[in-house]
Coordinates of all heavy atoms in Angstrom, one line a residue:
M90 N 54.4 32.0 104.2 CA 53.6 33.1 103.9 C 53.4 33.2 102.4 O 54.3 32.9 101.6 CB 54.3 34.4 104.4 CG 53.6 35.6 104.0 SD 54.3 37.2 104.7 CE 55.8 36.8 105.4
N91 N 52.2 33.6 102.0 CA 51.9 33.8 100.6 C 52.1 35.2 100.2 O 51.5 36.1 100.8 CB 50.5 33.3 100.3 CG 50.3 31.8 100.4 OD1 51.2 31.0 100.2 ND2 49.1 31.4 100.9
V92 N 52.9 35.4 99.1 CA 53.2 36.8 98.7 C 52.8 36.9 97.2 O 53.1 36.1 96.4 CB 54.7 37.1 98.8 CG1 55.0 38.5 98.3 CG2 55.1 36.9 100.2
V93 N 52.0 38.0 96.9 CA 51.8 38.3 95.5 C 52.7 39.5 95.2 O 52.6 40.6 95.8 CB 50.3 38.7 95.3 CG1 50.1 39.3 93.9 CG2 49.4 37.5 95.4
L94 N 53.5 39.4 94.2 CA 54.5 40.4 93.8 C 54.0 40.9 92.5 O 53.7 40.2 91.5 CB 55.9 39.8 93.6 CG 57.0 40.8 93.3 CD1 58.2 40.4 94.1 CD2 57.2 41.0 91.9
V95 N 53.8 42.3 92.4 CA 53.4 42.9 91.2 C 54.5 43.8 90.7 O 55.0 44.7 91.4 CB 52.1 43.7 91.4 CG1 51.8 44.5 90.2 CG2 51.0 42.8 91.7
G96 N 54.9 43.6 89.4 CA 55.9 44.5 88.8 C 57.1 43.6 88.4 O 57.1 42.4 88.5
T97 N 58.1 44.4 87.9 CA 59.3 43.7 87.6 C 60.1 43.3 88.8 O 59.8 43.8 89.9 CB 60.2 44.6 86.7 OG1 60.5 45.8 87.4 CG2 59.4 44.9 85.4
D98 N 61.2 42.5 88.7 CA 61.9 42.1 89.8 C 63.4 42.2 89.5 O 64.1 41.2 89.5 CB 61.5 40.7 90.2 CG 62.2 40.2 91.4 OD1 62.7 41.0 92.2 OD2 62.1 39.0 91.7
P99 N 63.9 43.4 89.3 CA 65.3 43.6 88.9 C 66.3 43.3 90.1 O 67.5 43.1 89.9 CB 65.4 45.0 88.5 CG 64.4 45.7 89.2 CD 63.2 44.7 89.3
N100 N 65.8 43.3 91.3 CA 66.7 43.1 92.5 C 66.7 41.7 93.0 O 67.3 41.4 94.1 CB 66.2 44.1 93.6 CG 66.4 45.5 93.1 OD1 67.4 45.9 92.7 ND2 65.3 46.2 93.2
G101 N 66.0 40.7 92.4 CA 65.9 39.4 92.8 C 65.1 39.1 94.0 O 65.4 38.2 94.8
L102 N 64.1 39.9 94.2 CA 63.2 39.8 95.4 C 62.5 38.4 95.4 O 62.4 37.8 96.5 CB 62.2 40.9 95.4 CG 61.5 41.2 96.7 CD1 62.5 41.3 97.9 CD2 60.7 42.4 96.6
T103 N 62.0 37.9 94.3 CA 61.3 36.7 94.2 C 62.2 35.5 94.7 O 61.8 34.7 95.6 CB 60.8 36.3 92.8 OG1 60.0 37.4 92.4 CG2 60.1 35.0 92.7
A104 N 63.4 35.5 94.3 CA 64.4 34.4 94.7 C 64.7 34.5 96.2 O 64.7 33.5 96.9 CB 65.6 34.5 93.9
A105 N 64.8 35.8 96.7 CA 65.1 36.0 98.1 C 63.9 35.5 99.0 O 64.1 34.9 100.0 CB 65.5 37.4 98.4
L106 N 62.7 35.8 98.5 CA 61.5 35.4 99.3 C 61.4 33.9 99.3 O 61.1 33.3 100.4 CB 60.3 36.1 98.7 CG 60.1 37.6 98.9 CD1 59.1 38.2 97.9 CD2 59.8 37.9 100.3
E107 N 61.6 33.3 98.2 CA 61.5 31.8 98.1 C 62.6 31.2 98.9 O 62.3 30.1 99.6 CB 61.5 31.4 96.6 CG 60.3 31.8 95.9 CD 60.3 31.5 94.4 OE1 61.4 31.3 93.8 OE2 59.2 31.4 93.8
A108 N 63.8 31.8 99.0 CA 64.8 31.2 99.8 C 64.5 31.3 101.3 O 65.0 30.4 102.1 CB 66.1 32.0 99.6
E109 N 63.6 32.2 101.7 CA 63.2 32.3 103.1 C 61.9 31.4 103.4 O 61.4 31.4 104.5 CB 62.8 33.8 103.4 CG 64.0 34.7 103.5 CD 64.8 34.4 104.8 OE1 64.3 34.0 105.8 OE2 66.1 34.5 104.7
G110 N 61.5 30.7 102.3 CA 60.4 29.8 102.5 C 59.0 30.3 102.2 O 58.0 29.7 102.4
H111 N 59.0 31.5 101.6 CA 57.7 32.1 101.2 C 57.2 31.6 99.9 O 58.1 31.4 99.0 CB 57.8 33.6 101.2 CG 58.2 34.2 102.5 ND1 57.6 34.0 103.7 CD2 59.3 35.0 102.8 CE1 58.2 34.7 104.7 NE2 59.3 35.2 104.2
T112 N 56.0 31.5 99.7 CA 55.4 31.2 98.4 C 55.1 32.5 97.6 O 54.5 33.4 98.2 CB 54.1 30.4 98.5 OG1 54.3 29.2 99.3 CG2 53.5 30.1 97.2
V113 N 55.7 32.6 96.4 CA 55.6 33.9 95.7 C 54.9 33.6 94.3 O 55.2 32.8 93.6 CB 56.9 34.5 95.4 CG1 56.8 35.8 94.6 CG2 57.7 34.7 96.7
M114 N 53.8 34.4 94.1 CA 53.1 34.4 92.8 C 53.4 35.8 92.2 O 53.2 36.8 92.9 CB 51.6 34.2 93.0 CG 51.3 32.8 93.5 SD 51.9 31.4 92.5 CE 50.9 31.7 91.1
V115 N 53.7 35.9 90.9 CA 54.0 37.1 90.3 C 52.9 37.5 89.3 O 52.4 36.7 88.5 CB 55.3 37.1 89.6 CG1 55.7 38.3 88.8 CG2 56.4 36.7 90.6
A116 N 52.5 38.8 89.4 CA 51.6 39.4 88.4 C 52.3 40.5 87.7 O 52.7 41.4 88.4 CB 50.3 39.8 89.1
D117 N 52.4 40.5 86.4 CA 53.1 41.6 85.7 C 52.3 42.9 85.9 O 52.9 44.0 85.9 CB 53.3 41.3 84.3 CG 54.3 40.1 84.1 OD1 55.2 40.0 84.9 OD2 54.1 39.4 83.1
V118 N 51.0 42.8 85.8 CA 50.1 44.0 85.9 C 49.1 43.8 87.1 O 48.5 42.7 87.3 CB 49.3 44.1 84.6 CG1 48.3 45.3 84.7 CG2 50.2 44.3 83.4
G119 N 49.0 44.8 87.9 CA 48.2 44.7 89.1 C 46.7 45.1 88.9 O 46.1 45.8 89.7
N120 N 46.1 44.6 87.8 CA 44.7 44.8 87.6 C 43.9 43.6 88.3 O 44.5 42.6 88.7 CB 44.3 45.0 86.2 CG 44.7 43.8 85.3 OD1 45.0 42.7 85.8 ND2 44.8 44.0 84.0
R121 N 42.6 43.7 88.3 CA 41.8 42.7 89.0 C 42.1 41.3 88.4 O 42.4 40.4 89.2 CB 40.3 43.1 88.9 CG 39.5 42.1 89.7 CD 38.0 42.5 89.6 NE 37.2 41.7 90.5 CZ 36.8 42.1 91.7 NH1 37.0 43.3 92.1 NH2 36.1 41.3 92.4
P122 N 42.0 41.1 87.1 CA 42.3 39.7 86.6 C 43.7 39.2 86.9 O 43.8 38.1 87.3 CB 42.1 39.9 85.1 CG 41.2 41.1 84.9 CD 41.6 42.0 86.0
G123 N 44.7 40.1 86.8 CA 46.0 39.7 87.1 C 46.2 39.3 88.6 O 46.9 38.3 88.9
L124 N 45.6 40.1 89.5 CA 45.7 39.8 90.9 C 45.0 38.5 91.3 O 45.5 37.7 92.1 CB 45.2 41.0 91.7 CG 46.0 42.3 91.6 CD1 45.3 43.4 92.3 CD2 47.4 42.1 92.2
E125 N 43.8 38.3 90.7 CA 43.1 37.1 91.0 C 43.8 35.9 90.5 O 43.8 34.9 91.2 CB 41.6 37.2 90.5 CG 40.8 38.2 91.3 CD 39.4 38.4 90.7 OE1 39.2 38.1 89.5 OE2 38.5 38.7 91.5
E126 N 44.4 36.0 89.3 CA 45.1 34.9 88.8 C 46.4 34.6 89.6 O 46.7 33.4 89.8 CB 45.5 35.2 87.3 CG 46.2 34.0 86.6 CD 46.5 34.3 85.2 OE1 45.6 34.8 84.5 OE2 47.6 34.0 84.8
A127 N 46.9 35.6 90.2 CA 48.1 35.4 91.1 C 47.8 34.9 92.5 O 48.7 34.6 93.2 CB 48.9 36.7 91.1
G128 N 46.5 34.8 92.8 CA 46.1 34.3 94.1 C 46.0 35.3 95.2 O 46.3 35.0 96.4
I129 N 45.5 36.5 94.8 CA 45.4 37.6 95.8 C 44.5 37.2 97.0 O 44.8 37.7 98.1 CB 45.0 38.9 95.2 CG1 45.2 40.1 96.1 CG2 43.5 38.9 94.8 CD1 46.7 40.5 96.2
H130 N 43.5 36.4 96.8 CA 42.6 36.0 97.9 C 43.3 35.2 98.9 O 42.8 35.2 100.1 CB 41.4 35.3 97.3 CG 40.5 36.2 96.4 ND1 39.8 37.3 96.8 CD2 40.4 36.2 95.1 CE1 39.2 37.9 95.8 NE2 39.5 37.2 94.7
E131 N 44.3 34.5 98.6 CA 45.0 33.6 99.5 C 46.3 34.3 100.1 O 47.0 33.7 100.9 CB 45.4 32.3 98.9 CG 44.2 31.4 98.6 CD 43.6 31.8 97.2 OE1 44.3 32.3 96.3 OE2 42.3 31.7 97.1
A132 N 46.6 35.5 99.6 CA 47.9 36.2 99.9 C 47.9 36.8 101.3 O 46.8 37.2 101.8 CB 48.2 37.2 98.9
D133 N 49.0 36.8 101.9 CA 49.2 37.5 103.2 C 49.8 38.9 103.0 O 49.6 39.8 103.7 CB 50.2 36.7 104.1 CG 49.7 35.3 104.4 OD1 48.6 35.2 104.9 OD2 50.3 34.3 104.0
V134 N 50.7 39.0 101.9 CA 51.4 40.2 101.6 C 51.2 40.5 100.1 O 51.3 39.7 99.2 CB 52.9 40.1 101.9 CG1 53.7 41.3 101.5 CG2 53.1 39.8 103.4
Y135 N 51.0 41.8 99.9 CA 51.0 42.3 98.5 C 52.2 43.2 98.4 O 52.5 44.1 99.1 CB 49.7 43.2 98.3 CG 49.7 43.9 96.9 CD1 49.4 43.1 95.8 CD2 50.0 45.2 96.8 CE1 49.4 43.7 94.6 CE2 49.9 45.8 95.5 CZ 49.7 45.0 94.4 OH 49.6 45.6 93.2
L136 N 53.1 42.8 97.5 CA 54.4 43.4 97.3 C 54.5 44.1 96.0 O 54.5 43.4 94.9 CB 55.5 42.3 97.5 CG 57.0 42.8 97.5 CD1 57.2 43.9 98.5 CD2 57.8 41.6 97.8
L137 N 54.6 45.4 96.0 CA 54.6 46.2 94.7 C 56.1 46.6 94.5 O 56.7 47.2 95.4 CB 53.7 47.4 94.8 CG 53.6 48.3 93.6 CD1 53.0 47.5 92.5 CD2 52.8 49.5 94.0
T138 N 56.6 46.4 93.2 CA 57.9 46.8 92.9 C 58.0 48.0 91.9 O 59.1 48.3 91.4 CB 58.7 45.6 92.4 OG1 58.1 45.1 91.2 CG2 58.8 44.5 93.4
E139 N 56.9 48.5 91.5 CA 56.8 49.6 90.5 C 55.9 50.7 91.0 O 54.7 50.4 91.0 CB 56.4 49.1 89.1 CG 57.3 48.1 88.5 CD 56.8 47.6 87.1 OE1 55.7 48.1 86.7 OE2 57.4 46.7 86.6
M140 N 56.4 51.9 91.2 CA 55.5 53.0 91.7 C 54.5 53.3 90.6 O 53.4 53.8 91.0 CB 56.4 54.2 92.0 CG 57.2 54.1 93.2 SD 56.2 54.0 94.7 CE 57.5 54.1 95.9
S141 N 54.8 53.0 89.4 CA 53.8 53.4 88.3 C 52.5 52.5 88.4 O 51.5 52.9 87.8 CB 54.5 53.2 86.9 OG 54.8 51.8 86.7
Q142 N 52.5 51.5 89.2 CA 51.4 50.7 89.4 C 50.7 50.9 90.8 O 50.1 50.0 91.3 CB 51.7 49.2 89.2 CG 52.1 48.8 87.7 CD 52.0 47.4 87.5 OE1 51.0 46.8 87.7 NE2 53.1 46.8 87.0
A143 N 50.9 52.0 91.3 CA 50.4 52.3 92.7 C 48.9 52.2 92.8 O 48.4 51.8 93.9 CB 50.9 53.7 93.1
T144 N 48.2 52.4 91.7 CA 46.7 52.3 91.8 C 46.3 50.9 92.1 O 45.2 50.6 92.6 CB 46.1 52.8 90.5 OG1 46.6 52.1 89.4 CG2 46.3 54.3 90.3
S145 N 47.2 49.9 91.8 CA 46.9 48.5 92.0 C 46.7 48.2 93.5 O 46.1 47.2 93.9 CB 47.9 47.6 91.4 OG 49.2 47.7 92.0
I146 N 47.3 49.0 94.4 CA 47.2 48.8 95.8 C 45.7 48.9 96.2 O 45.2 48.0 97.0 CB 48.0 49.9 96.6 CG1 49.5 49.6 96.3 CG2 47.7 49.8 98.1 CD1 50.4 50.7 96.9
A147 N 45.0 49.9 95.7 CA 43.5 50.0 96.0 C 42.8 48.8 95.5 O 41.9 48.3 96.2 CB 43.0 51.2 95.4
V148 N 43.1 48.2 94.4 CA 42.5 47.1 93.8 C 42.7 45.9 94.7 O 41.8 45.1 95.1 CB 42.9 46.8 92.4 CG1 42.3 45.5 91.8 CG2 42.6 48.0 91.5
A149 N 44.0 45.7 95.1 CA 44.4 44.6 96.0 C 43.7 44.6 97.3 O 43.2 43.6 97.8 CB 45.9 44.6 96.2
K150 N 43.6 45.8 97.9 CA 42.9 45.9 99.2 C 41.4 45.7 99.1 O 40.8 45.3 100.0 CB 43.2 47.3 99.8 CG 44.7 47.5 100.3 CD 45.0 46.6 101.4 CE 44.6 47.2 102.7 NZ 45.1 46.5 103.9
D151 N 40.9 46.1 98.0 CA 39.5 45.8 97.7 C 39.2 44.3 97.7 O 38.2 43.9 98.2 CB 39.0 46.5 96.4 CG 37.5 46.4 96.2 OD1 36.7 46.7 97.1 OD2 37.1 45.9 95.1
L152 N 40.1 43.6 97.0 CA 39.9 42.2 96.9 C 40.2 41.4 98.1 O 39.7 40.3 98.4 CB 40.8 41.6 95.7 CG 40.4 42.1 94.3 CD1 41.5 41.8 93.3 CD2 39.1 41.5 93.9
A153 N 41.2 41.9 98.9 CA 41.6 41.2 100.2 C 42.0 42.3 101.2 O 43.1 42.7 101.3 CB 42.8 40.3 99.9
P154 N 41.0 42.8 101.9 CA 41.2 43.9 102.8 C 42.2 43.7 103.9 O 42.8 44.6 104.5 CB 39.8 44.1 103.5 CG 38.8 43.4 102.6 CD 39.6 42.3 101.9
D155 N 42.5 42.4 104.3 CA 43.5 42.2 105.4 C 44.9 42.1 104.9 O 45.8 41.7 105.8 CB 43.0 40.9 106.2 CG 41.7 41.1 106.9 OD1 41.4 42.3 107.2 OD2 41.0 40.1 107.0
L156 N 45.2 42.3 103.7 CA 46.5 42.2 103.1 C 47.5 43.2 103.8 O 47.1 44.3 104.2 CB 46.5 42.6 101.7 CG 46.2 41.6 100.6 CD1 46.2 42.2 99.2 CD2 47.1 40.4 100.6
R157 N 48.7 42.7 104.0 CA 49.8 43.7 104.4 C 50.4 44.1 103.1 O 50.8 43.3 102.2 CB 50.8 43.0 105.3 CG 51.8 44.0 105.8 CD 52.6 43.4 106.9 NE 53.3 42.2 106.5 CZ 54.4 41.7 107.1 NH1 54.8 42.2 108.1 NH2 54.9 40.6 106.6
V158 N 50.5 45.5 102.9 CA 51.0 46.0 101.6 C 52.4 46.5 101.8 O 52.6 47.4 102.7 CB 50.1 47.1 101.1 CG1 50.7 47.8 99.9 CG2 48.7 46.6 100.8
V159 N 53.3 46.0 101.0 CA 54.7 46.5 101.1 C 55.1 46.9 99.7 O 54.8 46.3 98.7 CB 55.6 45.3 101.5 CG1 57.1 45.7 101.5 CG2 55.2 44.8 102.9
V160 N 55.7 48.1 99.6 CA 56.3 48.6 98.4 C 57.8 48.6 98.5 O 58.4 49.1 99.4 CB 55.8 50.1 98.1 CG1 56.4 50.6 96.9 CG2 54.2 50.1 98.1
Y161 N 58.4 48.0 97.5 CA 59.8 47.9 97.4 C 60.3 48.5 96.1 O 60.4 47.9 95.0 CB 60.3 46.4 97.4 CG 61.8 46.2 97.5 CD1 62.5 46.5 98.6 CD2 62.4 45.5 96.4 CE1 63.9 46.3 98.6 CE2 63.8 45.3 96.5 CZ 64.5 45.7 97.6 OH 65.9 45.5 97.7
A162 N 60.4 49.8 96.1 CA 60.7 50.6 94.9 C 61.2 52.0 95.3 O 60.9 52.5 96.4 CB 59.4 50.7 94.0
A163 N 62.0 52.6 94.4 CA 62.4 53.9 94.6 C 61.3 54.9 94.2 O 60.5 54.6 93.4 CB 63.7 54.2 93.8
G164 N 61.4 56.1 94.8 CA 60.4 57.1 94.5 C 59.4 57.2 95.6 O 59.6 56.7 96.7
S165 N 58.3 57.9 95.3 CA 57.3 58.2 96.4 C 55.9 57.8 95.8 O 55.6 57.9 94.7 CB 57.3 59.6 96.8 OG 57.0 60.5 95.7
L166 N 55.1 57.4 96.8 CA 53.7 56.9 96.5 C 52.8 58.1 96.4 O 53.0 59.1 97.2 CB 53.2 56.0 97.5 CG 53.7 54.5 97.5 CD1 53.2 53.8 98.8 CD2 53.1 53.8 96.3
P167 N 51.7 58.1 95.6 CA 50.7 59.1 95.7 C 50.0 59.0 97.1 O 50.0 57.9 97.7 CB 49.7 58.7 94.6 CG 50.4 57.7 93.7 CD 51.5 57.1 94.5
D168 N 49.4 60.1 97.5 CA 48.8 60.1 98.9 C 47.8 59.0 99.0 O 47.7 58.3 100.1 CB 48.1 61.4 99.1 CG 49.2 62.5 99.4 OD1 50.3 62.2 99.8 OD2 48.8 63.7 99.3
F169 N 46.9 58.8 98.0 CA 45.9 57.8 98.2 C 46.4 56.4 98.4 O 45.9 55.6 99.1 CB 44.9 57.8 96.9 CG 45.5 57.2 95.7 CD1 45.4 55.8 95.5 CD2 46.2 57.9 94.8 CE1 46.0 55.2 94.4 CE2 46.8 57.3 93.7 CZ 46.7 56.0 93.5
A170 N 47.6 56.1 97.8 CA 48.2 54.8 97.9 C 49.0 54.6 99.2 O 49.0 53.6 99.8 CB 49.1 54.5 96.8
S171 N 49.5 55.7 99.7 CA 50.3 55.7 100.9 C 49.5 55.4 102.1 O 49.9 54.8 103.1 CB 51.2 56.9 101.1 OG 50.3 58.0 101.3
R172 N 48.2 55.8 102.1 CA 47.3 55.5 103.2 C 47.0 54.0 103.3 O 46.6 53.6 104.4 CB 46.0 56.3 103.1 CG 46.2 57.8 103.3 CD 44.9 58.6 103.4 NE 44.3 58.6 102.1 CZ 44.4 59.6 101.2 NH1 45.1 60.6 101.5 NH2 43.7 59.6 100.0
Q173 N 47.1 53.3 102.3 CA 46.8 51.9 102.3 C 48.0 51.0 102.4 O 47.9 49.8 102.3 CB 46.0 51.5 101.0 CG 44.6 52.2 101.0 CD 43.9 51.8 99.8 OE1 44.4 51.9 98.6 NE2 42.7 51.3 99.9
T174 N 49.2 51.6 102.5 CA 50.5 50.9 102.4 C 51.0 50.8 103.9 O 51.1 51.7 104.6 CB 51.5 51.6 101.5 OG1 50.9 51.7 100.2 CG2 52.8 50.9 101.4
D175 N 51.5 49.6 104.2 CA 52.0 49.3 105.5 C 53.5 49.7 105.6 O 54.0 50.1 106.7 CB 51.8 47.8 105.9 CG 50.3 47.5 106.0 OD1 49.6 48.1 106.8 OD2 49.9 46.7 105.2
L176 N 54.2 49.4 104.5 CA 55.7 49.6 104.6 C 56.2 50.0 103.2 O 55.8 49.3 102.2 CB 56.4 48.3 105.1 CG 57.9 48.3 105.2 CD1 58.4 49.3 106.2 CD2 58.4 46.9 105.5
V177 N 57.1 51.0 103.1 CA 57.7 51.4 101.9 C 59.2 51.2 102.1 O 59.8 51.8 103.0 CB 57.4 52.8 101.4 CG1 58.1 53.2 100.2 CG2 55.9 53.0 101.3
V178 N 59.9 50.5 101.2 CA 61.3 50.2 101.3 C 62.0 50.6 100.0 O 61.6 50.2 98.9 CB 61.6 48.8 101.6 CG1 63.1 48.5 101.7 CG2 60.9 48.3 102.9
D179 N 63.0 51.4 100.1 CA 63.8 51.8 99.0 C 64.9 50.8 98.7 O 65.7 50.5 99.6 CB 64.5 53.2 99.2 CG 65.2 53.8 98.0 OD1 65.7 53.0 97.2 OD2 65.1 55.0 97.8
P180 N 65.0 50.2 97.5 CA 66.0 49.2 97.2 C 67.4 49.6 97.4 O 68.3 48.8 97.6 CB 65.7 48.8 95.8 CG 64.3 49.3 95.5 CD 64.1 50.4 96.4
D181 N 67.6 51.0 97.4 CA 69.0 51.5 97.6 C 69.4 51.4 99.0 O 70.6 51.5 99.4 CB 69.1 52.9 97.1 CG 69.0 53.0 95.6 OD1 69.3 52.0 94.9 OD2 68.6 54.1 95.1
L182 N 68.4 51.3 99.9 CA 68.7 51.2 101.4 C 68.7 49.8 101.9 O 69.5 49.6 102.9 CB 67.6 52.0 102.1 CG 67.5 53.5 101.7 CD1 66.4 54.2 102.5 CD2 68.9 54.2 102.0
L183 N 67.9 48.9 101.4 CA 67.9 47.5 101.9 C 67.9 46.6 100.7 O 67.1 46.8 99.8 CB 66.6 47.2 102.7 CG 66.6 47.7 104.2 CD1 65.3 47.4 104.8 CD2 67.7 47.0 105.0
D184 N 68.7 45.6 100.7 CA 68.7 44.6 99.6 C 67.6 43.6 99.8 O 66.9 43.6 100.8 CB 70.1 43.9 99.5 CG 70.4 43.0 100.7 OD1 69.5 42.7 101.5 OD2 71.6 42.7 100.8
A185 N 67.3 42.9 98.7 CA 66.2 42.0 98.6 C 66.3 40.9 99.7 O 65.2 40.5 100.3 CB 66.2 41.3 97.3
E186 N 67.4 40.4 100.1 CA 67.6 39.4 101.1 C 67.1 39.9 102.5 O 66.5 39.2 103.2 CB 69.0 38.9 101.2 CG 69.4 38.1 100.0 CD 69.7 38.9 98.7 OE1 70.0 40.1 98.8 OE2 69.7 38.3 97.6
A187 N 67.5 41.2 102.8 CA 67.1 41.8 104.1 C 65.6 41.9 104.1 O 64.9 41.7 105.2 CB 67.8 43.1 104.3
V188 N 65.0 42.4 103.0 CA 63.5 42.5 103.0 C 62.8 41.2 103.2 O 61.9 41.0 104.0 CB 63.0 43.2 101.7 CG1 61.5 43.2 101.6 CG2 63.6 44.6 101.7
A189 N 63.3 40.2 102.4 CA 62.7 38.8 102.5 C 62.8 38.3 103.9 O 61.9 37.6 104.5 CB 63.4 37.9 101.5
E190 N 63.9 38.5 104.6 CA 64.2 38.0 105.9 C 63.2 38.7 106.9 O 62.7 38.0 107.8 CB 65.6 38.3 106.3 CG 66.0 37.7 107.7 CD 67.4 38.0 108.0 OE1 68.3 37.7 107.1 OE2 67.7 38.5 109.1
E191 N 63.0 40.0 106.7 CA 62.1 40.7 107.7 C 60.6 40.4 107.5 O 59.8 40.5 108.4 CB 62.3 42.2 107.5 CG 63.7 42.6 108.1 CD 63.9 42.2 109.5 OE1 63.0 42.4 110.4 OE2 65.0 41.7 109.8
L192 N 60.2 40.0 106.3 CA 58.8 39.7 106.0 C 58.5 38.4 106.7 O 57.4 38.2 107.2 CB 58.5 39.5 104.5 CG 58.4 40.8 103.8 CD1 58.1 40.5 102.3 CD2 57.3 41.7 104.3

């Protein structure tokens, strides 16, 4: 599975995903150029790790409407972003390995 991860990765999610055999491309900023450079058009999953970049969910869905959107961060999403998100996981509840295994 192709995953585009946007944000920082303090919990080692990239390594856990790669250990499960997923291809991970990282974009520090979830704007259109960053997402396109990270391969959003070929991605199966958009994985956001920073609630402060929640607006990037709309950009990602605009570029690739069939994406599955997963948020792996503490806090809550704004209403507009939560409607486009398939799954929200708090890192305090599930570790990176469990999330990677379930994806």
Side-chain angles (χ1 to χ4, degrees):
M90 174 175 14
N91 292 326
V92 178
V93 170
L94 186 143
V95 172
T97 59
D98 187 11
N100 299 304
L102 195 51
T103 300
L106 288 164
E107 289 173 342
E109 287 292 325
H111 304 300
T112 302
V113 181
M114 297 298 294
V115 177
D117 293 328
V118 178
N120 58 17
R121 184 180 189 100
L124 292 173
E125 288 178 335
E126 186 175 313
I129 196 72
H130 296 290
E131 294 81 32
D133 302 299
V134 174
Y135 177 73
L136 185 53
L137 181 67
T138 62
E139 294 178 6
M140 290 292 188
S141 63
Q142 294 198 54
T144 56
S145 67
I146 294 170
V148 177
K150 290 294 277 187
D151 183 52
L152 293 169
D155 295 330
L156 276 177
R157 187 166 58 156
V158 176
V159 177
V160 176
Y161 186 66
S165 59
L166 283 170
D168 286 339
F169 74 89
S171 63
R172 288 188 292 266
Q173 295 181 306
T174 302
D175 298 298
L176 179 64
V177 178
V178 180
D179 187 325
D181 291 334
L182 300 177
L183 279 177
D184 63 18
E186 290 76 18
V188 172
E190 185 177 311
E191 291 303 317
L192 284 180

